[in-house]
Amino acid sequence: MIKTSPLSGIYRNHPVKLTEGSGWQIAENFGNDERESLHLSHDSVLVDWSHIGKISLSGGDAEKAAELTFKGASKLEPLKTLSNKDIAVLRLTGNDYLILCQPGMETELLGKIDPKITTVIDQTGSQGCLVLGGPRRDEVLQRSTAVDLRRDKVVAGSVLQSSIHTVGMTLYRTKNFDIMLHPRNLSESLYDALMDVGIGIGLVPGGINTVPVSFEEGK
């Protein structure tokens, strides 16, 4: 059965071109690839990555479990990350991790983890994921939260747990994107709130043609 994005209701209000991959139906674009690319270069875009794999590790020997999925993960300091193009390991606390991966890859990763040594939960279907990109994305965030997210305070490769528009989330920052993981049932309200504050500064919705899934450092 095809899985749908938590933004499927939003999709119906736009000329969205959908694509299917790894059992998910997700927005390829919101009607105009060229427009979305232009805003990514000069303003900002908001992209739905809800189909990425999301696995949480908590308690027990979470360090060992994380190391089985990504070499070096056990040495991470809290609120730091490791990544390649397919996987990102986020260390949330001393004994809690969140692993993000390419859509469909979560099954392979789950097979590497011994559930006897830590609590393993596949969060893929229960969490949404929005990605904010473009040179004016900081302005969108400044209008969305009282938390100081200046880039000299929260550098690329960092992760923090906070709230944006009262929605509790995990924010993972890369060089060019802010990746927001949050409860699936709050995806539409978060999307609407971000678009409301961002529309005046050039924020438009975009699809995975504009921002393909990649966790590679420097992206």
Side-chain angles (χ1 to χ4, degrees):
M1 186 172 69
I2 295 295
K3 302 168 189 172
T4 58
S5 164
L7 294 187
S8 56
I10 299 290
Y11 289 175
R12 288 192 285 271
N13 298 325
H14 296 271
V16 171
K17 180 181 179 182
L18 296 172
T19 186
E20 291 183 8
S22 301
W24 283 82
Q25 194 173 65
I26 204 79
E28 185 173 298
N29 65 49
F30 275 71
N32 191 322
D33 281 331
E34 185 176 347
R35 175 174 178 261
E36 293 169 28
S37 294
L38 187 65
H39 278 261
L40 178 61
S41 297
H42 299 286
D43 298 299
S44 54
V45 295
L46 187 62
V47 178
D48 183 10
W49 274 13
S50 294
H51 61 319
I52 64 170
K54 314 169 194 79
I55 300 168
S56 65
L57 308 175
S58 182
D61 200 346
E63 277 191 352
K64 181 178 180 180
E67 187 71 21
L68 292 171
T69 65
F70 200 114
K71 186 176 181 180
S74 63
K75 306 299 183 184
L76 277 173
E77 296 179 5
L79 304 182
K80 298 298 182 182
T81 66
L82 275 176
S83 67
N84 58 29
K85 66 183 179 64
D86 294 326
I87 303 172
V89 178
L90 287 52
R91 188 162 195 173
L92 306 180
T93 70
N95 216 19
D96 293 278
Y97 289 81
L98 182 62
I99 300 170
L100 311 179
C101 63
Q102 289 284 346
M105 194 175 173
E106 61 272 14
T107 302
E108 175 189 342
L109 293 179
L110 287 166
K112 295 180 178 181
I113 302 168
D114 182 356
K116 295 178 182 178
I117 65 173
T118 189
T119 300
V120 185
I121 301 176
D122 184 354
Q123 305 271 15
T124 303
S126 63
Q127 288 196 7
C129 179
L130 296 178
V131 178
L132 190 62
R136 302 190 72 181
R137 65 192 180 281
D138 288 351
E139 295 175 63
V140 178
L141 291 174
Q142 287 166 7
R143 297 179 180 208
S144 302
T145 180
V147 178
D148 187 355
L149 295 177
R150 287 177 297 173
R151 292 185 181 270
D152 59 334
K153 300 291 185 181
V154 184
V155 299
S158 296
V159 59
L160 75 154
Q161 293 178 288
S162 186
S163 62
I164 292 179
H165 292 294
T166 72
V167 175
M169 68 173 59
T170 297
L171 178 74
Y172 167 37
R173 172 161 285 173
T174 69
K175 181 180 178 182
N176 294 310
F177 300 103
D178 288 291
I179 300 169
M180 296 170 280
L181 300 127
H182 54 275
R184 177 187 173 95
N185 64 315
L186 298 177
S187 286
E188 285 198 9
S189 60
L190 177 60
Y191 171 93
D192 285 338
L194 288 167
M195 290 304 303
D196 283 347
V197 300
I199 195 167
I201 48 176
L203 179 65
V204 301
I208 59 171
N209 265 6
T210 302
V211 182
V213 175
S214 176
F215 306 106
E216 190 173 2
E217 287 188 29
K219 290 287 187 178

